[in-house]
């Protein structure tokens, strides 16, 4: 539930709070798949877009899905939804890297993606892949 301490000076959800929760959600998703919290390091938030204001008293939830794998990197798409309406309020992407817990050097995670579930997941994968294209 969005409380007063989560608000910005406009009276809606502060972006910094929303991004903090997005990174936490991403970590939970990637840790459940990888299985070793000591072997994961946060690398990047690629973007976070608000589509609707999130207001005091709104009950929200986050959903995350791994949408890109590199040799050691895992990129997660996270959506912020209104619990009552199911409406997408914001979304973004984060990347974590699998590392040797003793040296913090990148290691292969061995995770492969399943076939995409639908067109929306294909879109998320394409968007995530674009973050890693050389310019």
């Amino acid at each position: 539930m969005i409380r007063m301490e989560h608000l910005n000076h406009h009276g809606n959800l502060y972006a910094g709070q929303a991004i903090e929760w997005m990174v936490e959600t991403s970590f939970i998703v990637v840790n459940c798949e990888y299985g070793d919290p000591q072997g994961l390091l946060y690398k990047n938030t690629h973007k976070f877009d608000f589509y609707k204001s999130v207001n005091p008293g709104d009950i929200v939830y986050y959903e995350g899905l791994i949408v890109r794998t590199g040799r050691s990197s895992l990129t997660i798409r996270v959506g912020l939804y209104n619990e009552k309406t199911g409406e997408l309020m914001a979304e973004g992407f984060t990347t974590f890297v699998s590392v040797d817990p003793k040296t913090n050097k990148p290691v292969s995670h061995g995770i492969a993606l399943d076939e995409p579930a639908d067109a929306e997941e294909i879109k998320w994968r394409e968007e995530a892949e674009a973050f890693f294209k050389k310019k």
Side-chain angles (χ1 to χ4, degrees), residues 1-3 6-7 12-14 17-22 25 48 50 52-63 78-90:
M1 181 172 80
I2 306 304
R3 299 187 315 259
H6 303 139
L7 305 181
N12 50 35
L13 180 60
Y14 170 59
Q17 180 66 72
I19 292 169
E20 178 183 341
W21 290 336
M22 179 183 79
T25 298
F48 189 75
F50 274 96
K52 302 269 182 160
S53 292
V54 180
N55 299 306
D58 285 352
I59 297 175
V60 300
Y61 66 95
Y62 283 81
E63 282 186 355
V78 177
L80 165 60
Y81 297 89
N82 182 297
E83 176 67 32
K84 189 174 190 177
T85 66
E87 186 174 19
L88 177 64
M89 308 301 280

Side-chain angles (χ1 to χ4, degrees), residues 4-118:
M4 296 306 286
E5 61 265 28
H6 303 139
L7 305 181
N8 61 22
H9 60 290
H10 296 290
N12 50 35
L13 180 60
Y14 170 59
Q17 180 66 72
I19 292 169
E20 178 183 341
W21 290 336
M22 179 183 79
V23 172
E24 288 177 7
T25 298
S26 297
F27 177 77
I28 291 166
V29 167
V30 76
N31 182 55
C32 286
E33 186 70 28
Y34 188 64
D36 178 12
Q38 299 306 311
L40 292 170
L41 288 178
Y42 168 82
K43 181 176 182 351
N44 197 350
T45 296
H46 301 281
K47 72 169 209 171
F48 189 75
D49 287 335
F50 274 96
Y51 303 122
K52 302 269 182 160
S53 292
V54 180
N55 299 306
D58 285 352
I59 297 175
V60 300
Y61 66 95
Y62 283 81
E63 282 186 355
L65 181 70
I66 298 172
V67 294
R68 182 189 177 277
T69 59
R71 186 187 72 77
S72 62
S73 65
L74 297 158
T75 301
I76 303 91
R77 181 269 180 188
V78 177
L80 165 60
Y81 297 89
N82 182 297
E83 176 67 32
K84 189 174 190 177
T85 66
E87 186 174 19
L88 177 64
M89 308 301 280
E91 71 179 329
F93 295 81
T94 61
T95 294
F96 283 79
V97 177
S98 56
V99 298
D100 178 308
K102 291 184 171 98
T103 65
N104 281 346
K105 302 269 187 213
V107 296
S108 178
H109 49 65
I111 296 170
L113 297 178
D114 295 335
E115 288 299 315
D118 54 30

